[in-house]
Amino acid sequence: MGEQPIFSTRAHVFQIDPNTKKNWVPTSKHAVTVSYFFDSTRNVYRIISLDGSKAIINSTITPNMTFTKTSQKFGQWADSRANTVYGLGFSSESHLVKFADKFAEFKEAARLAKEKSQEKMELTSTPSQESAPGDLQSPLTSESINGTDDERVTPDTPQHTEARAEPSQNALPFSHSSSSINKHWEVELAALKGNNAKLTAALLESTANVKQWKQQLAAYQEEAERLHKRVTELECVSGQTTVIKSQKTELNQTIEELELALKAKEEELERLKAEVESANEFQSQKDSLTQKLQDTESRNQVLEAQLSDLEQRLESSQQEREAFRKSLRSLLELLDSKIFELTELRDTLAKLLEGS
């Protein structure tokens, strides 16, 4: 039966930087399809995403995984097998919520499948089964793309010790159980090879169509209006409504993402232009203020020189005025003495006139 996609969405894919373990590194230039796959043969759920012919996500869902929503449109989960952390950026919160719900649903299904597989292995296992999985471990790990490590069950050590303590009693069960286990793992290996062959064929087919898809995507981006008209015409074709609607949705999402990116770039460009104009205006204001400051300093120096000259002239004038006051005081004193002498002379002359 092989693997079948059971849920798909579109998102931007990121991986944690292996060096810093802090920064996100984008693994896709634009939003790509991210799908849940179910392998009914092995009861395994996987998350797979292809960017062209390159598999940028190949993660097997295990019961110990947790999908964490870090923001309204971004979520992440850790894959210990790939030794990395995957991050997905969605176009809306509803897409993120739906993806997270599916992750929880398939995680629970994987847990139940693992428990059922372990119960089945415990019922069919014997103390001597420990060597059989060990013999088949090498070819299984070579198919790591399907991620079957969690499905292996290793018997406990005490059973192995007990088996070696009584080899004669367990010889026949060992032969039957070894044959049964070998057949079981041969079936598993054949299923893995079949799945890998199908996946390889799908990858080869995707590689062959990559160039055509890129050309179509470029045409869609350059002629958005023509695409809308073309999609409307295709919707009229009978028997292709579902496919055309899906293509229309993907194209509209791509156009919206490009328009948002273009709008963001235009806003950033306008902001940078405003900053440049503001910086030029500040520079001109600075130059003007610097010139005014220089003119003010020059005028200040001239005024200081004039003030110093006036102070010197005022001091000289005060000295001259003080000297004039002293001269006038001396003159007044001399005049008083002369007037007094004249008064005495008058009195003397009057007395003489009276006596004669």
Side-chain angles (χ1 to χ4, degrees), residues 296-308:
T296 304
E297 289 178 352
S298 300
R299 292 178 59 187
N300 189 25
Q301 291 176 358
V302 173
L303 291 174
E304 286 179 354
Q306 292 179 355
L307 179 61
S308 177

Side-chain angles (χ1 to χ4, degrees), residues 115-135:
E115 291 178 355
K116 185 181 295 185
S117 176
Q118 288 179 345
E119 291 176 359
K120 183 177 180 181
M121 290 297 294
E122 289 175 358
L123 291 175
T124 59
S125 63
T126 63
S128 61
Q129 286 180 356
E130 185 177 3
S131 60
D135 295 336

Side-chain angles (χ1 to χ4, degrees), residues 9-14 24 31 67-77 86-100 256-257 260:
T9 186
R10 291 181 66 82
H12 291 271
V13 181
F14 300 85
W24 288 107
F67 184 83
T68 304
K69 293 183 284 187
T70 57
S71 67
Q72 293 183 347
K73 297 182 181 180
F74 193 87
Q76 65 183 51
W77 78 95
Y86 293 103
L88 296 179
F90 296 88
S91 59
S92 64
E93 185 177 2
S94 60
H95 288 82
L96 171 61
V97 171
K98 194 168 184 179
F99 187 89
E256 290 177 358
E257 292 172 359
L260 291 175

